[in-house]
Amino acid sequence: MRILLTGANGYIGKRLLPLLLSNGHEVIAVVRDKRRFEHKKYNSSLLSVIEVDFLNENLFKTLPPSIDVAYYLIHSLDTSINNFNKLETQAAKKFLELIAPTSVKQIVYLSGISHSENLSQHLSSRLNVETILSKSKIPITTLRAGIIVGSGSASFEIIRDLVEKLPIMITPKWLNTKCQPIAIRNVIDYLIGVLLKNECLNQSFDIGGPEILTYKQMLLQYAEVREIKRFIFTLPIMTPKLSSYWLYFVTSTSFFLAVNLVNSMKVEVVCQNNNIHKLIPLELFDYKTSIQRAFKRIAQNMVLSSWKDAMVAGHTDLHIGSLVEVPTYGCYFDRKKIKIKNKPDQVLDNIWSIGGERGWYYATWLWRLRGFIDRLAGGVGLRRGKTNLNNVEAGDSLDFWRVIYADKNQKRLLLFAEMILPGEAWLEFKISSNNFLIQTATFRPKGILGRTYWYLLLPFHFILFKRMIRNVERFIPKH
């Protein structure tokens, strides 16, 4: 069948797409920015890609008339604290406008469990989107999930940060809230299982794993899997705002996501409608098994997608295509060039391994200090790391950078800074045809503050970038 997949670059979409293709479906992947989509890695004649911005008031796109199923996997949880309900409403209406001329027979929507009378803004927004989509004449199947557990998922990475970093935790009382976590693999199986299944049309289903746990139990069970001892004490005095700051500073989450998560974590998310088990019988993974499966993926460097790879709040209006051509007018540059004496392929691998656990080849502690300062200012800091240790793709997050362009054949890697700056910054690595390594830092200042910032850091840049390019060229990993 022919399937329209929105959110194809998102955490769920990246997991769902290869399975749809392997099952023989023709997939039209809908993305906001084609440059962030790695079309080549799928190597399938069944895949086509279209670029659609559902937040654009003037949406003019034409789809093939014959579409069987449309997945709606768009959300704006990480873009703001108070505005994402408006953004999600607009996106849902534009989605219906896009598919209206087609012959689509089913919409599949992944929502959140929303049975409480006092829903958070996030869960209320998801329910509102469900209502909007249900008003169309197209049959809809809604799958409502709570906490999704898998390598790269927001909940898994946040729990991982908390447990790995803090032997003793003084936590807010919402850690005693109950939820029903579900493995990412089971979510994907359900999303595929409902395809044009008559019993699932115009129906909504809660999907969850076999256990009901508190967030505190989830943290402690994670510690058991990792074979580490942790002590957790809950206090009733931690306000939602204080809890958000606590989550923001300890984990790799953005502040907007921290606020929205804390507000949602105060709401019990436990399945009530479980009829889907009869229609789509699955082996449901328990929480500990889900954690173990996630770590197998991480150990094998096979994390397919990560929530961190979404564009951060404050840069959601930036189109990667507009950043590939680094500006020159009104910019400052630090350009270094050295002859490659090491094997060129090794140097290329070194470039592709930069950041994350590998670090920045020189004075990584200074990069971490800059990341810490960025966190204090409300930025992303360095805690996002990178999704895969030895590989990067366009659109990936890489510490406090965004990968704008990554092409090993052209031997070029371009990063754009997502830290808080009085300007815009790019960092580029490329290997020339005559085997020179060229490293260029570009800064486009905003006003006097931006110019002052550049000149204050100039002495540090001179030493840092000089040593960094030399070490990128010389580094030989230990095996």
Side-chain angles (χ1 to χ4, degrees):
M1 64 182 74
R2 179 180 280 174
I3 296 172
L4 184 76
L5 178 63
T6 65
N9 258 341
Y11 178 73
I12 300 294
K14 280 186 175 180
R15 308 268 174 147
L16 182 59
L17 177 54
L19 291 177
L20 292 174
L21 293 173
S22 65
N23 288 342
H25 299 300
E26 181 184 348
V27 180
I28 302 171
V30 181
V31 296
R32 186 167 177 248
D33 191 335
K34 280 186 177 181
R35 292 179 184 267
R36 290 186 60 205
F37 187 83
E38 294 292 327
H39 194 292
K40 294 178 182 178
K41 76 177 182 180
Y42 297 103
N43 192 28
S44 175
S45 59
L46 296 174
L47 176 63
S48 58
V49 186
I50 64 170
E51 193 174 90
V52 179
D53 183 357
F54 288 101
L55 298 182
N56 187 341
E57 292 289 344
N58 302 311
L59 179 61
F60 297 104
K61 284 288 180 181
T62 302
L63 296 175
S66 58
I67 292 177
D68 298 300
V69 178
Y71 281 100
Y72 189 76
L73 302 176
I74 300 170
H75 68 88
S76 306
L77 179 60
D78 194 26
T79 57
S80 68
I81 297 175
N82 298 313
N83 197 39
F84 65 83
N85 187 31
K86 177 183 177 182
L87 298 177
E88 291 208 330
T89 296
Q90 180 181 336
K93 290 180 178 180
K94 289 294 181 181
F95 168 75
L96 291 178
E97 183 181 311
L98 179 69
I99 64 174
T102 72
S103 59
V104 64
K105 305 176 183 68
Q106 181 189 26
I107 296 171
V108 179
Y109 170 50
L110 181 62
S111 184
I113 296 174
S114 50
H115 299 300
S116 173
E117 293 181 0
N118 299 309
L119 294 176
S120 65
Q121 289 189 51
H122 164 231
L123 292 175
S124 295
S125 177
R126 305 309 284 158
L127 187 59
N128 179 52
V129 169
E130 185 178 333
T131 301
I132 292 170
L133 297 179
S134 298
K135 288 180 179 179
S136 76
K137 297 179 181 180
I138 304 167
I140 181 174
T141 301
T142 302
L143 299 177
R144 297 170 173 168
I147 297 295
I148 298 176
V149 184
S151 57
S153 74
S155 53
F156 171 80
E157 295 295 344
I158 289 170
I159 289 170
R160 182 184 181 187
D161 278 344
L162 290 172
V163 179
E164 300 283 356
K165 294 176 182 176
L166 302 175
I168 299 174
M169 287 179 251
I170 309 299
T171 63
K173 62 182 180 180
W174 51 254
L175 243 68
N176 293 319
T177 304
K178 293 179 181 179
C179 61
Q180 197 164 347
I182 181 170
I184 179 62
R185 178 68 212 194
N186 289 147
V187 174
I188 299 300
D189 288 340
Y190 279 131
L191 285 169
I192 293 174
V194 299
L195 283 174
L196 290 184
K197 198 175 187 67
N198 289 330
E199 299 90 338
C200 297
L201 300 181
N202 290 319
Q203 299 291 327
S204 62
F205 303 96
D206 293 349
I207 58 174
E211 303 163 293
I212 297 174
L213 303 170
T214 65
Y215 292 107
K216 181 176 180 179
Q217 289 173 321
M218 290 172 66
L219 291 169
L220 292 173
Q221 286 194 23
Y222 176 99
E224 289 178 25
V225 171
R226 298 289 287 156
E227 297 181 348
I228 52 180
K229 193 72 174 176
R230 291 295 181 260
F231 300 93
I232 302 175
F233 304 95
T234 57
L235 296 177
I237 58 174
M238 291 188 75
T239 64
K241 188 173 183 179
L242 187 61
S243 299
S244 301
Y245 281 114
W246 174 74
L247 205 62
Y248 169 66
F249 281 113
V250 175
T251 72
S252 56
T253 180
S254 70
F255 181 68
F256 295 124
L257 183 58
V259 172
N260 291 324
L261 285 175
V262 166
N263 289 333
S264 295
M265 285 174 174
K266 295 182 294 181
V267 180
E268 192 171 277
V269 282
V270 176
C271 298
Q272 292 185 12
N273 178 358
N274 286 316
N275 294 335
I276 195 168
H277 298 323
K278 299 176 183 178
L279 301 175
I280 306 171
L282 293 180
E283 176 193 355
L284 295 175
F285 298 111
D286 61 32
Y287 178 68
K288 284 187 176 180
T289 302
S290 302
I291 296 292
Q292 290 164 350
R293 287 173 59 88
F295 270 102
K296 284 182 181 179
R297 284 280 184 181
I298 293 169
Q300 296 168 357
N301 202 25
M302 293 176 61
V303 181
L304 296 179
S305 61
S306 171
W307 70 275
K308 300 173 187 177
D309 295 335
M311 294 294 281
V312 300
H315 287 295
T316 52
D317 59 330
L318 289 176
H319 192 285
I320 280 183
S322 67
L323 303 172
V324 171
E325 295 300 327
V326 181
T328 56
Y329 180 76
C331 295
Y332 296 122
F333 303 92
D334 186 297
R335 185 175 287 109
K336 299 287 188 292
K337 179 179 178 180
I338 61 172
K339 182 69 176 179
I340 294 176
K341 298 177 182 179
N342 195 355
K343 295 179 180 179
D345 287 345
Q346 180 60 64
V347 177
L348 194 62
D349 288 341
N350 291 345
I351 294 171
W352 253 248
S353 302
I354 201 167
E357 292 185 17
R358 174 67 63 84
W360 291 85
Y361 292 101
Y362 179 74
T364 296
W365 67 272
L366 276 176
W367 293 88
R368 289 173 180 162
L369 176 61
R370 181 63 182 88
F372 176 72
I373 294 171
D374 191 55
R375 294 289 283 187
L376 291 179
V380 295
L382 246 65
R383 288 181 178 158
R384 295 186 306 185
K386 59 189 298 190
T387 301
N388 290 301
L389 298 181
N390 303 314
N391 189 45
V392 289
E393 296 178 355
D396 285 358
S397 63
L398 200 169
D399 292 337
F400 47 48
W401 301 89
R402 176 71 53 182
V403 180
I404 301 301
Y405 188 85
D407 191 321
K408 273 198 167 183
N409 292 326
Q410 294 189 13
K411 301 178 181 179
R412 183 189 179 211
L413 175 67
L414 179 64
L415 310 176
F416 177 77
E418 290 188 321
M419 69 189 94
I420 293 177
L421 287 170
E424 296 168 324
W426 289 258
L427 182 60
E428 181 181 45
F429 299 89
K430 64 180 179 180
I431 298 175
S432 66
S433 57
N434 55 351
N435 280 344
F436 274 90
L437 173 60
I438 304 167
Q439 171 189 285
T440 307
T442 303
F443 183 67
R444 180 163 60 184
K446 290 183 179 178
I448 296 175
L449 182 60
R451 291 174 174 82
T452 304
Y453 173 86
W454 174 263
Y455 284 112
L456 284 175
L457 292 182
L458 203 56
F460 298 97
H461 286 170
F462 178 78
I463 299 171
L464 180 70
F465 289 136
K466 182 178 180 180
R467 297 289 182 88
M468 185 168 75
I469 189 174
R470 185 184 66 183
N471 291 346
V472 169
E473 190 278 329
R474 293 181 178 180
F475 184 80
I476 299 177
K478 297 178 181 179
H479 295 290

